Amino acid sequence: MTSSPPALTRIRVGSAPDSWGVWFPDDPLQTPWDRFLDEVAECGYEWIELGPYGYLPTDPGRLAEETAKRGLRVSAGTVFTGLHHGPAVWADTWEHVSRVAALTRDMGADHLVVIPAFWRDDKTGAVLEDRELTAEGWRELAGQTERLGREVRDRFGLRIVVHPHADTHIDTQANVARFLDATDPELVSLCLDTGHYAYCGGDSVAAIEEFGERIGYLHLKQVDPRVLAEVVAEQVPFGPAVARGVMCEPPSGVPALEPVLAAAQRLGVDLFAIVEQDMYPCPPDRPLPIARRTRAYLRSCGTR
């Protein structure tokens, strides 16, 4: 007789528009926002992220009504930044961040997921800038991210969690470590995305053990090792790699999520673990069955 895994009492699981094939505020290929809310609630999730700003209603009163009637709550908003470019991009960055942060705060959430800029276009593969940052670029990235963390905390009461991401400058274990070493733990935490970290050659359990005090949030996803080997060998950009199915339904890929969740539980802090299975574009009937199976799988790992 097999024993059940220990209850993951510190882990709050949820899902996100990304798991329904949503990458943009408005796109005819995407699931309509009301269908997303209906289906994520039907799967038994309580927590969601906002997704791209403008996908879900941006009026906080309306969004609060729509989520409450489905038993849903918001865990975080997401912003996209190019802070390594320095003060020149601050005004435009803050205009975007402040809108998302205000809605995130008004929905009762505490976290803002910060995604760095891509060094190559995720659709065309066009190289936008050097893959490696200069020393000056690293200084600007660290300093401007700290500034963002301070402003978001002071003005909106939120904590930023920076998301290492494929095709950005914060990707591999070495670059994540360099970024964390250069930033103030009081201002900057990490959103560890298990799929992106594996995509870039990292070990999520080792990351939780190495960077434990900096981890403030989790994204759960897996990569298909066979597809990953192909896209790395062919230098395929992230967007087309997703279209090939590089991010796959758990538990069929890597990393195994049960050890990741167990390691996160051992940190002894409350953490969100939000499912994100990148699959843009996808047919509208595809996400719901996957989400049902994923929710059941996460329960088998010990989540509530």
PDB file of all heavy atoms in Angstrom, residues 17 21-33 50-58 78 80 96 99-100 280:
ATOM      1  N   PRO A  17      -4.436  32.808 -17.128  1.00  0.00           N
ATOM      2  CA  PRO A  17      -4.883  32.841 -18.527  1.00  0.00           C
ATOM      3  C   PRO A  17      -3.923  32.138 -19.482  1.00  0.00           C
ATOM      4  O   PRO A  17      -4.358  31.570 -20.500  1.00  0.00           O
ATOM      5  CB  PRO A  17      -4.968  34.345 -18.813  1.00  0.00           C
ATOM      6  CG  PRO A  17      -5.310  34.959 -17.488  1.00  0.00           C
ATOM      7  CD  PRO A  17      -4.516  34.146 -16.499  1.00  0.00           C
ATOM      8  N   GLY A  21      -4.127  29.443 -23.185  1.00  0.00           N
ATOM      9  CA  GLY A  21      -3.618  29.923 -24.464  1.00  0.00           C
ATOM     10  C   GLY A  21      -3.672  31.420 -24.643  1.00  0.00           C
ATOM     11  O   GLY A  21      -3.713  31.907 -25.781  1.00  0.00           O
ATOM     12  N   VAL A  22      -3.654  32.175 -23.544  1.00  0.00           N
ATOM     13  CA  VAL A  22      -3.803  33.632 -23.610  1.00  0.00           C
ATOM     14  C   VAL A  22      -2.446  34.304 -23.440  1.00  0.00           C
ATOM     15  O   VAL A  22      -1.814  34.180 -22.387  1.00  0.00           O
ATOM     16  CB  VAL A  22      -4.788  34.133 -22.530  1.00  0.00           C
ATOM     17  CG1 VAL A  22      -4.845  35.657 -22.520  1.00  0.00           C
ATOM     18  CG2 VAL A  22      -6.176  33.539 -22.759  1.00  0.00           C
ATOM     19  N   TRP A  23      -2.013  35.042 -24.459  1.00  0.00           N
ATOM     20  CA  TRP A  23      -0.765  35.789 -24.411  1.00  0.00           C
ATOM     21  C   TRP A  23      -0.965  37.288 -24.608  1.00  0.00           C
ATOM     22  O   TRP A  23      -0.063  38.070 -24.331  1.00  0.00           O
ATOM     23  CB  TRP A  23       0.204  35.280 -25.480  1.00  0.00           C
ATOM     24  CG  TRP A  23       0.977  34.066 -25.070  1.00  0.00           C
ATOM     25  CD1 TRP A  23       0.729  33.246 -24.008  1.00  0.00           C
ATOM     26  CD2 TRP A  23       2.134  33.532 -25.728  1.00  0.00           C
ATOM     27  NE1 TRP A  23       1.656  32.227 -23.959  1.00  0.00           N
ATOM     28  CE2 TRP A  23       2.527  32.368 -24.998  1.00  0.00           C
ATOM     29  CE3 TRP A  23       2.865  33.891 -26.838  1.00  0.00           C
ATOM     30  CZ2 TRP A  23       3.629  31.587 -25.370  1.00  0.00           C
ATOM     31  CZ3 TRP A  23       3.962  33.117 -27.212  1.00  0.00           C
ATOM     32  CH2 TRP A  23       4.339  31.982 -26.483  1.00  0.00           C
ATOM     33  N   PHE A  24      -2.131  37.673 -25.110  1.00  0.00           N
ATOM     34  CA  PHE A  24      -2.334  39.065 -25.496  1.00  0.00           C
ATOM     35  C   PHE A  24      -3.641  39.604 -24.905  1.00  0.00           C
ATOM     36  O   PHE A  24      -4.556  38.827 -24.605  1.00  0.00           O
ATOM     37  CB  PHE A  24      -2.362  39.187 -27.024  1.00  0.00           C
ATOM     38  CG  PHE A  24      -1.126  38.632 -27.679  1.00  0.00           C
ATOM     39  CD1 PHE A  24      -1.141  37.370 -28.268  1.00  0.00           C
ATOM     40  CD2 PHE A  24       0.058  39.355 -27.685  1.00  0.00           C
ATOM     41  CE1 PHE A  24       0.001  36.847 -28.858  1.00  0.00           C
ATOM     42  CE2 PHE A  24       1.212  38.835 -28.267  1.00  0.00           C
ATOM     43  CZ  PHE A  24       1.185  37.583 -28.862  1.00  0.00           C
ATOM     44  N   PRO A  25      -3.759  40.930 -24.750  1.00  0.00           N
ATOM     45  CA  PRO A  25      -5.000  41.491 -24.216  1.00  0.00           C
ATOM     46  C   PRO A  25      -6.218  41.149 -25.081  1.00  0.00           C
ATOM     47  O   PRO A  25      -7.308  40.907 -24.560  1.00  0.00           O
ATOM     48  CB  PRO A  25      -4.736  43.000 -24.208  1.00  0.00           C
ATOM     49  CG  PRO A  25      -3.253  43.129 -24.153  1.00  0.00           C
ATOM     50  CD  PRO A  25      -2.712  41.966 -24.930  1.00  0.00           C
ATOM     51  N   ASP A  26      -6.012  41.125 -26.387  1.00  0.00           N
ATOM     52  CA  ASP A  26      -7.128  40.864 -27.299  1.00  0.00           C
ATOM     53  C   ASP A  26      -6.584  40.135 -28.515  1.00  0.00           C
ATOM     54  O   ASP A  26      -5.660  40.617 -29.176  1.00  0.00           O
ATOM     55  CB  ASP A  26      -7.794  42.185 -27.711  1.00  0.00           C
ATOM     56  CG  ASP A  26      -9.033  41.958 -28.566  1.00  0.00           C
ATOM     57  OD1 ASP A  26      -9.708  40.939 -28.374  1.00  0.00           O
ATOM     58  OD2 ASP A  26      -9.309  42.804 -29.440  1.00  0.00           O
ATOM     59  N   ASP A  27      -7.142  38.959 -28.790  1.00  0.00           N
ATOM     60  CA  ASP A  27      -6.653  38.161 -29.906  1.00  0.00           C
ATOM     61  C   ASP A  27      -7.754  37.177 -30.272  1.00  0.00           C
ATOM     62  O   ASP A  27      -8.266  36.451 -29.415  1.00  0.00           O
ATOM     63  CB  ASP A  27      -5.381  37.414 -29.491  1.00  0.00           C
ATOM     64  CG  ASP A  27      -4.711  36.697 -30.655  1.00  0.00           C
ATOM     65  OD1 ASP A  27      -5.392  35.905 -31.348  1.00  0.00           O
ATOM     66  OD2 ASP A  27      -3.509  36.924 -30.879  1.00  0.00           O
ATOM     67  N   PRO A  28      -8.151  37.120 -31.553  1.00  0.00           N
ATOM     68  CA  PRO A  28      -9.248  36.221 -31.940  1.00  0.00           C
ATOM     69  C   PRO A  28      -8.943  34.741 -31.745  1.00  0.00           C
ATOM     70  O   PRO A  28      -9.860  33.920 -31.712  1.00  0.00           O
ATOM     71  CB  PRO A  28      -9.467  36.545 -33.424  1.00  0.00           C
ATOM     72  CG  PRO A  28      -8.186  37.184 -33.878  1.00  0.00           C
ATOM     73  CD  PRO A  28      -7.652  37.908 -32.690  1.00  0.00           C
ATOM     74  N   LEU A  29      -7.656  34.398 -31.598  1.00  0.00           N
ATOM     75  CA  LEU A  29      -7.291  32.997 -31.391  1.00  0.00           C
ATOM     76  C   LEU A  29      -7.435  32.563 -29.930  1.00  0.00           C
ATOM     77  O   LEU A  29      -7.310  31.379 -29.625  1.00  0.00           O
ATOM     78  CB  LEU A  29      -5.842  32.762 -31.846  1.00  0.00           C
ATOM     79  CG  LEU A  29      -5.541  33.001 -33.325  1.00  0.00           C
ATOM     80  CD1 LEU A  29      -4.057  32.786 -33.601  1.00  0.00           C
ATOM     81  CD2 LEU A  29      -6.394  32.102 -34.210  1.00  0.00           C
ATOM     82  N   GLN A  30      -7.691  33.512 -29.038  1.00  0.00           N
ATOM     83  CA  GLN A  30      -7.679  33.207 -27.615  1.00  0.00           C
ATOM     84  C   GLN A  30      -9.072  32.917 -27.056  1.00  0.00           C
ATOM     85  O   GLN A  30     -10.092  33.352 -27.597  1.00  0.00           O
ATOM     86  CB  GLN A  30      -7.071  34.384 -26.840  1.00  0.00           C
ATOM     87  CG  GLN A  30      -5.607  34.609 -27.173  1.00  0.00           C
ATOM     88  CD  GLN A  30      -4.998  35.789 -26.455  1.00  0.00           C
ATOM     89  OE1 GLN A  30      -3.786  35.928 -26.445  1.00  0.00           O
ATOM     90  NE2 GLN A  30      -5.806  36.642 -25.835  1.00  0.00           N
ATOM     91  N   THR A  31      -9.093  32.202 -25.932  1.00  0.00           N
ATOM     92  CA  THR A  31     -10.316  31.944 -25.190  1.00  0.00           C
ATOM     93  C   THR A  31     -10.893  33.254 -24.665  1.00  0.00           C
ATOM     94  O   THR A  31     -10.161  34.040 -24.055  1.00  0.00           O
ATOM     95  CB  THR A  31     -10.020  31.023 -23.989  1.00  0.00           C
ATOM     96  OG1 THR A  31      -9.414  29.818 -24.465  1.00  0.00           O
ATOM     97  CG2 THR A  31     -11.281  30.709 -23.206  1.00  0.00           C
ATOM     98  N   PRO A  32     -12.183  33.522 -24.854  1.00  0.00           N
ATOM     99  CA  PRO A  32     -12.777  34.733 -24.274  1.00  0.00           C
ATOM    100  C   PRO A  32     -12.626  34.738 -22.751  1.00  0.00           C
ATOM    101  O   PRO A  32     -12.647  33.683 -22.103  1.00  0.00           O
ATOM    102  CB  PRO A  32     -14.244  34.637 -24.693  1.00  0.00           C
ATOM    103  CG  PRO A  32     -14.241  33.740 -25.890  1.00  0.00           C
ATOM    104  CD  PRO A  32     -13.139  32.768 -25.663  1.00  0.00           C
ATOM    105  N   TRP A  33     -12.497  35.934 -22.180  1.00  0.00           N
ATOM    106  CA  TRP A  33     -12.176  36.032 -20.752  1.00  0.00           C
ATOM    107  C   TRP A  33     -13.237  35.412 -19.858  1.00  0.00           C
ATOM    108  O   TRP A  33     -12.919  34.803 -18.836  1.00  0.00           O
ATOM    109  CB  TRP A  33     -11.930  37.487 -20.352  1.00  0.00           C
ATOM    110  CG  TRP A  33     -13.138  38.384 -20.432  1.00  0.00           C
ATOM    111  CD1 TRP A  33     -13.500  39.180 -21.474  1.00  0.00           C
ATOM    112  CD2 TRP A  33     -14.135  38.575 -19.416  1.00  0.00           C
ATOM    113  NE1 TRP A  33     -14.665  39.858 -21.192  1.00  0.00           N
ATOM    114  CE2 TRP A  33     -15.076  39.506 -19.926  1.00  0.00           C
ATOM    115  CE3 TRP A  33     -14.326  38.069 -18.142  1.00  0.00           C
ATOM    116  CZ2 TRP A  33     -16.190  39.924 -19.196  1.00  0.00           C
ATOM    117  CZ3 TRP A  33     -15.435  38.480 -17.414  1.00  0.00           C
ATOM    118  CH2 TRP A  33     -16.351  39.399 -17.945  1.00  0.00           C
ATOM    119  N   LEU A  50      -3.911  37.884 -13.304  1.00  0.00           N
ATOM    120  CA  LEU A  50      -4.643  38.767 -14.211  1.00  0.00           C
ATOM    121  C   LEU A  50      -4.337  38.475 -15.672  1.00  0.00           C
ATOM    122  O   LEU A  50      -5.164  38.754 -16.540  1.00  0.00           O
ATOM    123  CB  LEU A  50      -4.293  40.226 -13.915  1.00  0.00           C
ATOM    124  CG  LEU A  50      -4.739  40.771 -12.564  1.00  0.00           C
ATOM    125  CD1 LEU A  50      -4.240  42.201 -12.389  1.00  0.00           C
ATOM    126  CD2 LEU A  50      -6.258  40.703 -12.417  1.00  0.00           C
ATOM    127  N   GLY A  51      -3.141  37.944 -15.958  1.00  0.00           N
ATOM    128  CA  GLY A  51      -2.760  37.759 -17.351  1.00  0.00           C
ATOM    129  C   GLY A  51      -2.421  39.090 -17.996  1.00  0.00           C
ATOM    130  O   GLY A  51      -2.198  40.102 -17.310  1.00  0.00           O
ATOM    131  N   PRO A  52      -2.378  39.160 -19.334  1.00  0.00           N
ATOM    132  CA  PRO A  52      -2.047  40.417 -20.010  1.00  0.00           C
ATOM    133  C   PRO A  52      -3.061  41.507 -19.638  1.00  0.00           C
ATOM    134  O   PRO A  52      -4.272  41.265 -19.668  1.00  0.00           O
ATOM    135  CB  PRO A  52      -2.145  40.065 -21.503  1.00  0.00           C
ATOM    136  CG  PRO A  52      -2.107  38.577 -21.564  1.00  0.00           C
ATOM    137  CD  PRO A  52      -2.679  38.075 -20.289  1.00  0.00           C
ATOM    138  N   TYR A  53      -2.561  42.685 -19.297  1.00  0.00           N
ATOM    139  CA  TYR A  53      -3.455  43.758 -18.869  1.00  0.00           C
ATOM    140  C   TYR A  53      -4.430  44.107 -19.993  1.00  0.00           C
ATOM    141  O   TYR A  53      -4.026  44.408 -21.114  1.00  0.00           O
ATOM    142  CB  TYR A  53      -2.652  44.996 -18.485  1.00  0.00           C
ATOM    143  CG  TYR A  53      -3.503  46.123 -17.957  1.00  0.00           C
ATOM    144  CD1 TYR A  53      -3.985  46.095 -16.650  1.00  0.00           C
ATOM    145  CD2 TYR A  53      -3.843  47.194 -18.764  1.00  0.00           C
ATOM    146  CE1 TYR A  53      -4.774  47.121 -16.154  1.00  0.00           C
ATOM    147  CE2 TYR A  53      -4.631  48.226 -18.281  1.00  0.00           C
ATOM    148  CZ  TYR A  53      -5.090  48.187 -16.976  1.00  0.00           C
ATOM    149  OH  TYR A  53      -5.884  49.209 -16.495  1.00  0.00           O
ATOM    150  N   GLY A  54      -5.727  44.038 -19.674  1.00  0.00           N
ATOM    151  CA  GLY A  54      -6.761  44.297 -20.660  1.00  0.00           C
ATOM    152  C   GLY A  54      -7.471  43.041 -21.129  1.00  0.00           C
ATOM    153  O   GLY A  54      -8.505  43.124 -21.793  1.00  0.00           O
ATOM    154  N   TYR A  55      -6.914  41.861 -20.789  1.00  0.00           N
ATOM    155  CA  TYR A  55      -7.621  40.621 -21.132  1.00  0.00           C
ATOM    156  C   TYR A  55      -8.846  40.472 -20.230  1.00  0.00           C
ATOM    157  O   TYR A  55      -9.983  40.373 -20.722  1.00  0.00           O
ATOM    158  CB  TYR A  55      -6.691  39.421 -20.997  1.00  0.00           C
ATOM    159  CG  TYR A  55      -7.397  38.092 -21.171  1.00  0.00           C
ATOM    160  CD1 TYR A  55      -7.968  37.741 -22.386  1.00  0.00           C
ATOM    161  CD2 TYR A  55      -7.508  37.194 -20.108  1.00  0.00           C
ATOM    162  CE1 TYR A  55      -8.638  36.534 -22.543  1.00  0.00           C
ATOM    163  CE2 TYR A  55      -8.161  35.989 -20.262  1.00  0.00           C
ATOM    164  CZ  TYR A  55      -8.729  35.661 -21.474  1.00  0.00           C
ATOM    165  OH  TYR A  55      -9.398  34.466 -21.614  1.00  0.00           O
ATOM    166  N   LEU A  56      -8.635  40.467 -18.936  1.00  0.00           N
ATOM    167  CA  LEU A  56      -9.751  40.507 -17.995  1.00  0.00           C
ATOM    168  C   LEU A  56     -10.232  41.955 -17.867  1.00  0.00           C
ATOM    169  O   LEU A  56      -9.485  42.890 -18.177  1.00  0.00           O
ATOM    170  CB  LEU A  56      -9.308  39.982 -16.631  1.00  0.00           C
ATOM    171  CG  LEU A  56      -8.925  38.497 -16.566  1.00  0.00           C
ATOM    172  CD1 LEU A  56      -8.394  38.153 -15.180  1.00  0.00           C
ATOM    173  CD2 LEU A  56     -10.110  37.612 -16.920  1.00  0.00           C
ATOM    174  N   PRO A  57     -11.470  42.171 -17.420  1.00  0.00           N
ATOM    175  CA  PRO A  57     -11.942  43.546 -17.232  1.00  0.00           C
ATOM    176  C   PRO A  57     -10.981  44.336 -16.342  1.00  0.00           C
ATOM    177  O   PRO A  57     -10.486  43.823 -15.336  1.00  0.00           O
ATOM    178  CB  PRO A  57     -13.301  43.355 -16.552  1.00  0.00           C
ATOM    179  CG  PRO A  57     -13.758  41.994 -16.999  1.00  0.00           C
ATOM    180  CD  PRO A  57     -12.516  41.175 -17.099  1.00  0.00           C
ATOM    181  N   THR A  58     -10.720  45.575 -16.712  1.00  0.00           N
ATOM    182  CA  THR A  58      -9.787  46.397 -15.939  1.00  0.00           C
ATOM    183  C   THR A  58     -10.491  47.289 -14.926  1.00  0.00           C
ATOM    184  O   THR A  58      -9.813  47.930 -14.121  1.00  0.00           O
ATOM    185  CB  THR A  58      -8.929  47.268 -16.870  1.00  0.00           C
ATOM    186  OG1 THR A  58      -9.793  48.053 -17.697  1.00  0.00           O
ATOM    187  CG2 THR A  58      -8.036  46.397 -17.746  1.00  0.00           C
ATOM    188  N   THR A  78       0.860  40.918 -13.755  1.00  0.00           N
ATOM    189  CA  THR A  78       2.107  40.686 -14.483  1.00  0.00           C
ATOM    190  C   THR A  78       2.461  41.917 -15.296  1.00  0.00           C
ATOM    191  O   THR A  78       1.586  42.515 -15.945  1.00  0.00           O
ATOM    192  CB  THR A  78       1.984  39.487 -15.423  1.00  0.00           C
ATOM    193  OG1 THR A  78       1.665  38.316 -14.657  1.00  0.00           O
ATOM    194  CG2 THR A  78       3.277  39.233 -16.188  1.00  0.00           C
ATOM    195  N   PHE A  80       5.671  43.640 -18.003  1.00  0.00           N
ATOM    196  CA  PHE A  80       6.813  43.372 -18.871  1.00  0.00           C
ATOM    197  C   PHE A  80       7.726  44.599 -18.865  1.00  0.00           C
ATOM    198  O   PHE A  80       7.249  45.733 -18.976  1.00  0.00           O
ATOM    199  CB  PHE A  80       6.346  43.045 -20.287  1.00  0.00           C
ATOM    200  CG  PHE A  80       5.539  41.780 -20.360  1.00  0.00           C
ATOM    201  CD1 PHE A  80       4.175  41.790 -20.108  1.00  0.00           C
ATOM    202  CD2 PHE A  80       6.151  40.566 -20.649  1.00  0.00           C
ATOM    203  CE1 PHE A  80       3.434  40.617 -20.147  1.00  0.00           C
ATOM    204  CE2 PHE A  80       5.415  39.392 -20.697  1.00  0.00           C
ATOM    205  CZ  PHE A  80       4.058  39.414 -20.447  1.00  0.00           C
ATOM    206  N   HIS A  96       3.031  51.732 -17.633  1.00  0.00           N
ATOM    207  CA  HIS A  96       2.491  50.375 -17.750  1.00  0.00           C
ATOM    208  C   HIS A  96       2.345  49.726 -16.376  1.00  0.00           C
ATOM    209  O   HIS A  96       1.286  49.196 -16.029  1.00  0.00           O
ATOM    210  CB  HIS A  96       3.430  49.550 -18.642  1.00  0.00           C
ATOM    211  CG  HIS A  96       3.259  48.071 -18.595  1.00  0.00           C
ATOM    212  ND1 HIS A  96       2.065  47.436 -18.917  1.00  0.00           N
ATOM    213  CD2 HIS A  96       4.129  47.071 -18.268  1.00  0.00           C
ATOM    214  CE1 HIS A  96       2.215  46.126 -18.790  1.00  0.00           C
ATOM    215  NE2 HIS A  96       3.457  45.883 -18.395  1.00  0.00           N
ATOM    216  N   ARG A  99      -0.579  51.041 -13.958  1.00  0.00           N
ATOM    217  CA  ARG A  99      -1.944  50.575 -14.285  1.00  0.00           C
ATOM    218  C   ARG A  99      -2.171  49.156 -13.761  1.00  0.00           C
ATOM    219  O   ARG A  99      -3.195  48.864 -13.148  1.00  0.00           O
ATOM    220  CB  ARG A  99      -2.174  50.604 -15.804  1.00  0.00           C
ATOM    221  CG  ARG A  99      -2.316  51.965 -16.405  1.00  0.00           C
ATOM    222  CD  ARG A  99      -2.925  51.897 -17.801  1.00  0.00           C
ATOM    223  NE  ARG A  99      -2.169  51.020 -18.688  1.00  0.00           N
ATOM    224  CZ  ARG A  99      -1.193  51.425 -19.497  1.00  0.00           C
ATOM    225  NH1 ARG A  99      -0.845  52.698 -19.509  1.00  0.00           N
ATOM    226  NH2 ARG A  99      -0.578  50.576 -20.287  1.00  0.00           N
ATOM    227  N   VAL A 100      -1.198  48.290 -14.028  1.00  0.00           N
ATOM    228  CA  VAL A 100      -1.341  46.897 -13.594  1.00  0.00           C
ATOM    229  C   VAL A 100      -1.299  46.807 -12.072  1.00  0.00           C
ATOM    230  O   VAL A 100      -2.085  46.072 -11.451  1.00  0.00           O
ATOM    231  CB  VAL A 100      -0.243  46.022 -14.224  1.00  0.00           C
ATOM    232  CG1 VAL A 100      -0.398  44.571 -13.774  1.00  0.00           C
ATOM    233  CG2 VAL A 100      -0.285  46.110 -15.746  1.00  0.00           C
ATOM    234  N   TYR A 280       0.124  28.872 -26.635  1.00  0.00           N
ATOM    235  CA  TYR A 280      -0.441  29.778 -27.632  1.00  0.00           C
ATOM    236  C   TYR A 280       0.137  29.445 -29.003  1.00  0.00           C
ATOM    237  O   TYR A 280       1.357  29.290 -29.129  1.00  0.00           O
ATOM    238  CB  TYR A 280      -0.118  31.235 -27.289  1.00  0.00           C
ATOM    239  CG  TYR A 280      -0.584  32.209 -28.348  1.00  0.00           C
ATOM    240  CD1 TYR A 280      -1.871  32.738 -28.299  1.00  0.00           C
ATOM    241  CD2 TYR A 280       0.242  32.569 -29.407  1.00  0.00           C
ATOM    242  CE1 TYR A 280      -2.310  33.610 -29.281  1.00  0.00           C
ATOM    243  CE2 TYR A 280      -0.190  33.428 -30.396  1.00  0.00           C
ATOM    244  CZ  TYR A 280      -1.467  33.953 -30.327  1.00  0.00           C
ATOM    245  OH  TYR A 280      -1.918  34.809 -31.314  1.00  0.00           O
TER     246      TYR A 280
END
